[in-house]
């Protein structure tokens, strides 16, 4: 794909204090044939004002407001971006992070291979001021990824962070983010894409740096924000449904999702999973015993922990 173009899709919401540094890191890319769609989700700060100088000097950036035809939230903004994308490749960047200068160059090089549909890379997190001492080496190891690695994606042994994968645009021809999901939306979508049988590559090089702070979606999830928790529960149900439809359910995956459901008793996730899978009676009883015994063991575990203290 000589002359390939990359579409960067960036949803933003009240990040005027971070977004300029992010956009500047995009401007410093060693690969120059890109467009960046900055999609405002209805923020109330001065984001538009602070990025005006960058928009004026670099026509590759476009600032847009999410139309009401797309649901408010990150998935709706990204779907809007996908519908506008003109690039051969698509990548999602957040509005508070830093991009390695070689990100687009190295990913597009890998995606020139016809059998490769996505390029995954490593991501690191940082707090406070960012250290711009980048490693510019182009030597790295890599490995192929296909549907046989789906379980590793789902159980996070092979994390697919939203900003750490570049995709060929055709991966989204029949796939979009589920717009009511406010957490784990990329986990659900990316697992759906991988389950379709495409192949990709993972390169062992850090090309993205995520800013760690409590106001991020992930930060809110780990502080038990109910909206994020409910979204994770809904995403699990959608993933299980997709696995069932594509006949990709395994006992180890069932065990993994049942374990997750232990943390979502208030949403009765275990019952949802059992209903979707329509398990044989023997299997259903087995997992019901496992699920119920956990809550019987829990008070004893807590008591032992208290005694040790």
């Amino acid at each position: 794909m000589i002359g390939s173009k990359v579409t960067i899709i960036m949803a933003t919401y009240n990040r005027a204090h971070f977004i300029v540094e992010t956009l500047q890191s995009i401007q410093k890319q060693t690969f120059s044939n890109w467009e960046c769609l900055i999609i405002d989700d209805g923020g109330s700060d001065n984001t538009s004002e602070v990025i005006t100088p960058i928009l004026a000097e670099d026509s590759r950036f476009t600032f847009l407001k999410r139309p009401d035809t797309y649901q408010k939230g990150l998935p709706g903004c990204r779907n809007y971006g996908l519908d506008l994308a003109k690039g051969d490749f698509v990548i999602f960047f957040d509005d508070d992070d830093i991009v390695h200068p070689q990100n687009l160059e190295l990913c597009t090089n890998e995606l020139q291979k016809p059998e490769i549909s996505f390029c995954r890379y490593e991501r690191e997190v940082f707090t406070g001021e960012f250290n711009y001492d980048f490693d510019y080496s182009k030597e790295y190891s890599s490995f192929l990824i296909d549907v046989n690695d789906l379980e590793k994606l789902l159980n996070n042994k092979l994390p697919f962070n939203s900003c750490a994968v570049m995709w060929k645009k055709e991966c989204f021809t029949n796939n979009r983010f589920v717009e009511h999901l406010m957490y784990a939306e990329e986990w659900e979508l990316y697992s759906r894409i991988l389950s379709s049988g495409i192949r990709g590559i993972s390169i062992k090089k850090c090309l993205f740096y995520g800013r760690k702070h409590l106001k991020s979606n992930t930060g809110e999830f780990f502080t038990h924000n109910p909206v994020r928790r409910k979204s994770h529960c809904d995403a699990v149900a959608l993933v299980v449904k997709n696995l069932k439809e594509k006949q990709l359910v395994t006992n180890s995956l069932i065990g993994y999702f049942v374990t997750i459901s232990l943390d979502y008793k208030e949403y009765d996730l275990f019952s949802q999973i059992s209903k979707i899978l329509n398990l044989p009676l023997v299997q259903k009883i087995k997992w019901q015993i496992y699920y119920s015994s956990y809550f019987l063991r829990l008070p004893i575990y807590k008591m032992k922990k208290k005694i040790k203290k």
Side-chain angles (χ1 to χ4, degrees), residues 38-80:
I38 308 165
I39 301 167
D40 187 82
D41 195 32
S44 57
D45 69 359
N46 62 331
T47 292
S48 177
E49 180 182 337
V50 300
I51 69 172
T52 293
I54 293 179
L55 297 175
E57 73 180 28
D58 196 333
S59 62
R60 294 174 296 180
F61 290 106
T62 304
F63 185 60
L64 303 153
K65 300 283 187 178
R66 173 191 48 77
D68 291 337
T69 48
Y70 296 83
Q71 191 168 327
K72 181 174 177 57
L74 190 61
C77 289
R78 287 178 172 170
N79 282 346
Y80 179 42

Side-chain angles (χ1 to χ4, degrees), residues 73-141:
L74 190 61
C77 289
R78 287 178 172 170
N79 282 346
Y80 179 42
L82 284 170
D83 289 339
L84 297 175
K86 296 176 182 176
D88 305 285
F89 309 132
V90 173
I91 196 163
F92 304 100
F93 288 158
D94 285 342
D95 56 358
D96 54 354
D97 300 330
I98 303 296
V99 187
H100 189 290
Q102 294 173 304
N103 184 298
L104 303 186
E105 177 190 356
L106 297 185
C107 288
T108 53
N109 285 346
E110 295 293 342
L111 290 175
Q112 300 304 316
K113 304 167 186 174
E115 73 278 11
I116 298 299
S117 294
F118 62 86
C119 178
R120 173 190 177 272
Y121 49 84
E122 295 187 352
R123 168 184 175 273
E124 295 177 1
V125 297
F126 71 97
T127 56
E129 295 295 318
F130 181 72
N131 179 6
Y132 282 88
D133 184 20
F134 294 113
D135 168 20
Y136 283 90
S137 169
K138 293 186 181 181
E139 295 183 4
Y140 50 78
S141 60

Side-chain angles (χ1 to χ4, degrees), residues 201-239:
I201 195 167
S202 181
I203 63 177
K204 191 172 178 56
K205 183 175 177 68
C206 179
L207 295 176
F208 200 82
Y209 304 87
R211 191 185 303 269
K212 193 174 182 181
H213 57 95
L214 291 177
K215 289 298 182 181
S216 67
N217 288 359
T218 303
E220 289 184 351
F221 173 76
F222 284 109
T223 54
H224 299 286
N225 178 288
V227 173
R228 309 299 180 197
R229 283 179 60 79
K230 176 62 165 59
S231 177
H232 191 205
C233 178
D234 292 344
V236 168
L238 288 170
V239 167

